[in-house]
Amino acid sequence: MANLLHYFASHLATLRLEFWSLLVGGFATGVMYAMVAIGYTMVYGVLRLINFAHSEVFMSGGFASYFMMRALIGTSTPSGTWSVVLVIIGVLTGGVAGAAIAMLLERIAYRPLRRRNAPKLAYLISAIGASYFLYNLAGKEFGRINESMPSPYINHTVFTIFGAPVQLYYIVIFVVGVIMLITLDRLVATTKLGRSVRAAAQDAETASLMGVNIDRTIVLTFVIGGALAGAAGFLWGLGFTGVGFYMGFTPALKAFTAAVLGGIGNLRGAAIGGLLLGVVESFSVAFVPASYIDVIAFGILVLVLLFRPTGILGERLGRSA
Amino acid sequence: MLEVHDAVVRYGAITALHGISFEVNQGEIVTLLGANGAGKTTTLRMLSGLHAPQSGQIMFEGQDVTTTKAHMFTSLGIGHVPEGRRIFPQMTVEENLEMGAFRRRGSYTEDIERMYETFPILKERRKQIGGNLSGGEQQMLAIGRALMGQPRLLLLDEPSMGLAPMIVDTIFRIIGEIRDSGTTVLLVEQNAAQALRLADRGYVMENGRIVFGDSASNLLTDARVRAVYLGENVES
Ligand SMILES: Nc1ncnc2c1ncn2[C@@H]1O[C@H](COP(=O)(O)OP(=O)(O)O)[C@@H](O)[C@H]1O
Ligand SMILES: [Mg+2]
């Protein structure tokens, strides 16, 4: 008992010391989870299915931007405006690649099943097959060792909050992530395009009676979710793990957890779930060995599914039954 | 205006419509009567492209629309008030009305104001989400939403279902006004007596077939209709 108390006391001390830096790091990871989680939740919204090949959309964004950075940067060390331009190019390359792969997935792995009114299980099998194909293709073509992405900037501590250093890498993630997430939110809330997505998610058949082209709306959700995930693949690739054929697996499962945590089908929920998961994971480092982090995330997934399957903001999961 | 020739619709092994033929003329209210499961909803859904007929032909204003996709019908001039109302539950009343105008170009704020004049209760509820409305309010919203598409033919599927008699009267009055303003109406109803009093003509469906059709006044006095569909409603 005394031992246990001592254990927690010492770890709480770590948490107090490291609080701000863990928070900053957790938020940065959380922003990337959020960007990937959007794709899960949007596709679930209109199709009531989990796109388990979304991890490879993320990976495609990582590789596409990696090759782009390699071509543009090579062995140079960019700085100033050129750095900013390179980051924008990286985001766009990752986003376009992610959108393209997501669109292909919809066309090849899902649409034929939809035409045939296939059971949900068929979609799951098709998704797993597509995912397996894509990451093995990447492994074969690009090698099975992770590559580090040529950096568009020189990473350094830009400022500190309460003594915690905030690196340029984190700032890049924040700026890109927050711009993309807010743009998406405004797009869905205020534009006609967004309204068609919301209508299709609430009642696809009735939406089509209003003149919404459901096929096009479905493609649109794959494209938007794919662009965000692809851009997140670029941001992730800038980190110390770089890019690799298997890079999508764990982050995408985490993002799926985030989407469930926030309430699957709910866009803001996915963003909140992503941020929350990133921070919780980061703080848990103070209490458990780093190798247990993934256990924490998937423990959360299991607990949410058991006790609050509608997540934080969700209330419509029941409709999928 | 609308002509249906020998239309067959199947759900897998079940045949829901065994080759039905009927027509709706400009300016009429035509009602489709029939027991539960007769095929009335399937007929309306076919007319909106939600079920393509396996065989047969549908002509609307001289154009073949047999295989036209569902999302094209509102631009063609057909509006649909679906069975069960199907309001978008997470959208506000106003957003639901705007969805009705989804295919329209240009401004439609005047039309929204006109809907609020026809249905004052919707104006009070304009910022509430559709899922929180009462059944009667949802029905009015579903009708208003369909009218926002400026249909020349309006399909109504059991608009009085589950509503209090006073609200049913209001709905029927409004259907009359819709016809008077120049929109043709195809009305599916369980409430045969009231529907026939409003309609110009009617068809009776049984087991996926149209068994007969006539003017509404003749149907009201028809022995078969009185026995099966009017029943104790006859004096009401
Ligand atoms: N989605 C469906 N799948 C299979 N059978 C259906 C479906 N919808 C309706 N049916 C069947 O088609 C027939 C006609 O149904 P419907 O058009 O809903 O009748 P009504 O509107 O007159 O009550 C019924 O026998 C019904 O069971
Ligand atoms: Mg019906």
Side-chain angles (χ1 to χ4, degrees), chain B residues 128-139:
Chain B
Q128 292 187 22
I129 62 164
N132 288 349
L133 301 184
S134 73
E137 290 161 358
Q138 286 195 345
Q139 190 63 60

Side-chain angles (χ1 to χ4, degrees), chain A residues 56 94 120 178 311:
Chain A
E56 273 47 71
K120 293 270 144 139
V178 168

Side-chain angles (χ1 to χ4, degrees), chain A residues 192 198 202-203 205 211, chain B residues 45 86 90 95 102-103:
Chain A
K192 194 162 173 170
R198 283 190 295 143
Q202 288 173 39
D203 186 339
E205 207 171 71
Chain B
R45 289 169 60 85
R86 305 281 286 267
Q90 309 287 324
E95 285 177 313
F102 189 77
R103 280 283 170 145

Side-chain angles (χ1 to χ4, degrees), chain B residues 18-88:
Chain B
H18 301 264
I20 60 166
S21 302
F22 67 98
E23 59 183 38
V24 177
N25 302 314
Q26 177 100 40
E28 290 186 308
I29 294 182
V30 174
T31 182
L32 273 182
L33 306 175
N36 251 331
K40 306 180 298 294
T41 296
T42 305
T43 303
L44 293 197
R45 289 169 60 85
M46 172 186 79
L47 294 176
S48 281
L50 293 173
H51 295 302
Q54 265 77 24
S55 63
Q57 193 187 35
I58 306 164
M59 301 291 288
F60 178 66
E61 294 180 333
Q63 191 179 343
D64 188 335
V65 296
T66 315
T67 57
T68 302
K69 295 262 194 308
H71 66 269
M72 300 305 296
F73 276 86
T74 155
S75 336
L76 285 176
I78 298 184
H80 192 143
V81 180
E83 187 175 58
R85 314 186 258 273
R86 305 281 286 267
I87 294 305
F88 295 109

